[in-house]
Amino acid sequence: KMKRIGICDTTFARYDMAKAAINELKMHAPNLEIIRRTVPGVKDLPVACKKLIEEEGCEIVMAFGMPGPEKIDKICAHEASTGLIQAQLMTNTHIIEVFVHEDEESNPKDLKILAENRAREHAQNVIKMLFKPEKLTREAGMGMREGKPDVGPL
Ligand code: RDL
Ligand code: RDL
Ligand code: RDL
């Protein structure tokens, strides 16, 4: 049976992270079925992800968002995160949160690279979670990061 993956993103984000992730997923697992939904902002992600799980039968969902630089945006992002965790607990299903905060980089060029790479590396995490969980265990404690260089083990 073909595995169905949900992809949920926002119009608020300033980069199409979902496109990068879908490209990465298809490269590693051409037979995946991908269902994509787009909502206005991060606070709209939790219910959209829950619907992808409950109504569309997705086994795992990736949620992409870009919190802005203001204090209100950070609060929004934290609320969205809490909602995403609640949706995971309600459905017993992983929702991989792929957030890039606009102030993680000081210039737009670097922010683009971070967004592209974090999306792709979390897509690789999803592939491992679905097909090669033992590979993740081999990476346990290795100081892995997404979109930036790994920090490495102590
Ligand atoms: O439900 C409609 C909106 O309230 C919702 O889409 C919010 O997530 C939109 N939004 C904010 O209102 C805000 O103050 C967002 C941010 N900040 C933000 O930083 N990133 C978002 N949405 O994706
Ligand atoms: O769902 C995928 C990720 O969002 C999730 O694995 C996060 O827990 C990853 N993460 C962060 O996004 C972050 O900003 C972690 C940290 N900080 C952190 O300090 N320690 C972590 N994860 O283990
Ligand atoms: O300590 C430096 C970074 O680890 C820290 O800034 C993280 O919070 C960066 N980060 C996010 O802000 C985020 O929203 C990360 C993720 N998501 C993530 O999914 N994976 C990361 N960092 O490695």
Side-chain angles (χ1 to χ4, degrees):
K1 180 172 139 280
M2 233 199 263
K3 284 188 189 289
R4 195 174 273 193
I5 298 195
I7 297 284
C8 196
D9 66 346
T10 69
T11 57
F12 193 103
R14 301 177 61 198
Y15 189 75
D16 190 350
M17 293 185 273
K19 184 181 172 188
I22 290 167
N23 178 272
E24 188 76 23
L25 289 170
K26 287 194 163 157
M27 221 151 64
H28 289 90
N31 289 327
L32 289 175
E33 196 177 338
I34 291 167
I35 302 185
R36 180 175 181 176
R37 298 282 181 268
T38 304
V39 294
V42 288
K43 282 201 280 187
D44 311 310
L45 290 170
V47 71
C49 291
K50 185 166 171 282
K51 283 163 75 75
L52 282 168
I53 294 163
E54 291 182 344
E55 297 174 12
E56 308 292 341
C58 292
E59 295 190 26
I60 191 164
V61 174
M62 299 182 77
F64 299 90
M66 200 174 268
E70 307 297 335
K71 196 171 161 205
I72 184 70
D73 300 322
K74 300 290 183 189
I75 294 168
C76 257
H78 180 260
E79 288 165 344
S81 217
T82 304
L84 287 169
I85 291 167
Q86 197 180 342
Q88 293 180 75
L89 295 172
M90 289 174 86
T91 57
N92 245 0
T93 302
H94 282 289
I95 300 170
I96 298 302
E97 178 197 291
V98 187
F99 281 8
V100 172
H101 293 253
E102 270 195 64
D103 57 7
E104 278 188 78
E105 297 289 359
S106 48
N107 72 74
K109 221 170 132 189
D110 290 336
L111 190 62
K112 252 171 92 162
I113 293 168
L114 172 59
E116 171 81 19
N117 290 341
R118 181 165 294 162
R120 286 186 181 276
E121 288 176 33
H122 268 309
Q124 291 165 19
N125 286 337
V126 165
I127 295 289
K128 288 175 205 167
M129 289 171 82
L130 282 175
F131 301 110
K132 299 161 187 145
E134 71 286 349
K135 213 164 166 177
L136 279 177
T137 302
R138 262 184 269 130
E139 291 173 358
M142 298 304 285
M144 307 299 280
R145 297 293 186 269
E146 291 81 25
K148 293 197 180 177
D150 296 333
V151 176
L154 298 175

